[in-house]
Amino acid sequence: MHTYRLAKTGPEVSAIGLGCMGMSGMYGPSDREEGIATIHAALDAGVNLLDTGDFYGMGHNEMLIGEALKGRKRENVVISVKTGALRDPQGTWLGYDCRPAALKNFVAYSLQRLGVDYIDIYRPARLDPNVPIEETVGAIADMIKAGYVRHVGLSEVGADTIRRAAAVHPIVDVQIEYSLISRGIEDAILPTCRELGISITAYGVLSRGLISGHWQKGQESGKGDFRGYSPRFQEGNVDQNLALVEELRKIAEAKRVSVAQIAIAWVAAQGKDIIPLVGARRRDRLTEALGSRAVELSADDMGTIERAVPKDAAAGARYPDAQLQHMDSEK
């Protein structure tokens, strides 16, 4: 597994990271034992970047990772934690709290649940409209000085916010959705990150399974599945989006690889400063994702993929309107 340094001052991370959110809900019921086995398989394969959020399963995901890491060398794992999102006991989203005092409280709970002494990359999940980004980043910088955090990351923020944050403390990465059908970062966010020497950790590389080649219309998603209300999976949009998948499938079959492998390889091919995060919940899906590392895309291949899935070809927004309102990256 190749490794790359995030930004100039960040940690060395594997060429693919493991997004652990789906192991604690969001896409329907999950298997705890299989989740832990998947984390173990990823670590054994050389994947060292584990991404989570303190609000995934209201702490369940951090505890799951903590259990999976027992007996493993802490220094061999890079743990990325998103924070600030507020949820009630029913899982309803209540907004964001990125005040310095709140972040210092949240990190204490994360350390306890993860069973570690420090978090490698700590980031606000979204921009808190009531707290200047300078204060949020300053609070994380304080925690770095105290030894509880190693690096500052950002998530789903726009170019102006990135510049303001970087003026306070070095930012190692911006975590944001990026895939063949979610390419909004190419306009301003990616150029800004490259100007400032900030890496991208790309989640949603398979658009929550939509362009994985495995999801089919009418597939039961289960209670609590984000796809049940995601615009791209809704009637009126899903047929157009699945038609794009079928065009991608033709390319994948010609290269004798899977649709998912083509989609992941395309993201990885955009630059060494972009690390795909794969949200595998099972070992077989992890194995498939890791197989994307062997997929070589020529200039002709990239052109063929671009024609099959042009920029802005997807139908529907990547989040419901209520959530888009909280996303600085969309403004």
Side-chain angles (χ1 to χ4, degrees), residues 3-194:
T3 60
Y4 301 101
R5 184 172 298 281
L6 293 181
K8 295 178 181 179
T9 60
E12 286 275 342
V13 300
S14 48
I16 287 180
L18 180 63
C20 300
M21 179 181 72
M23 300 174 187
S24 299
M26 287 301 288
Y27 301 123
S30 57
D31 184 321
R32 180 182 183 84
E33 295 306 315
E34 181 62 23
I36 291 173
T38 300
I39 293 172
H40 287 165
L43 295 173
D44 292 341
V47 174
N48 74 337
L49 176 59
L50 301 180
D51 181 76
T52 185
D54 59 17
F55 50 93
Y56 291 169
M58 278 69 92
H60 174 277
N61 204 238
E62 290 182 321
M63 290 188 288
L64 184 77
I65 291 172
E67 184 174 342
L69 293 182
K70 289 179 180 177
R72 300 275 175 159
K73 291 184 178 180
R74 172 66 183 91
E75 61 271 22
N76 292 342
V77 184
V78 176
I79 302 174
S80 166
V81 177
K82 289 181 291 297
T83 190
L86 304 176
R87 303 177 74 179
D88 69 13
Q90 295 181 329
T92 305
W93 300 96
L94 302 175
Y96 298 89
D97 187 352
C98 292
R99 294 170 300 148
L103 295 188
K104 292 174 182 180
N105 173 76
F106 294 151
V107 80
Y109 284 90
S110 287
L111 292 170
Q112 181 71 23
R113 288 188 290 255
L114 288 163
V116 297
D117 296 326
Y118 65 91
I119 292 168
D120 295 276
I121 310 171
Y122 202 55
R123 71 184 82 242
R126 299 288 186 271
L127 178 67
D128 184 338
N130 300 313
V131 181
I133 190 63
E134 291 85 352
E135 293 185 17
T136 297
V137 171
I140 301 176
D142 288 343
M143 291 186 277
I144 290 175
K145 292 176 183 177
Y148 301 123
V149 174
R150 293 286 173 86
H151 305 283
V152 181
L154 299 172
S155 178
E156 288 290 354
V157 289
D160 179 63
T161 301
I162 294 169
R163 291 184 185 280
R164 290 169 52 196
V168 175
H169 191 278
I171 306 298
V172 297
D173 73 315
V174 173
Q175 187 176 121
I176 196 163
E177 186 170 359
Y178 188 43
S179 72
L180 270 167
I181 63 172
S182 296
R183 297 174 58 180
I185 73 168
E186 295 175 353
D187 297 331
I189 294 171
L190 181 56
T192 298
C193 285
R194 285 180 166 162

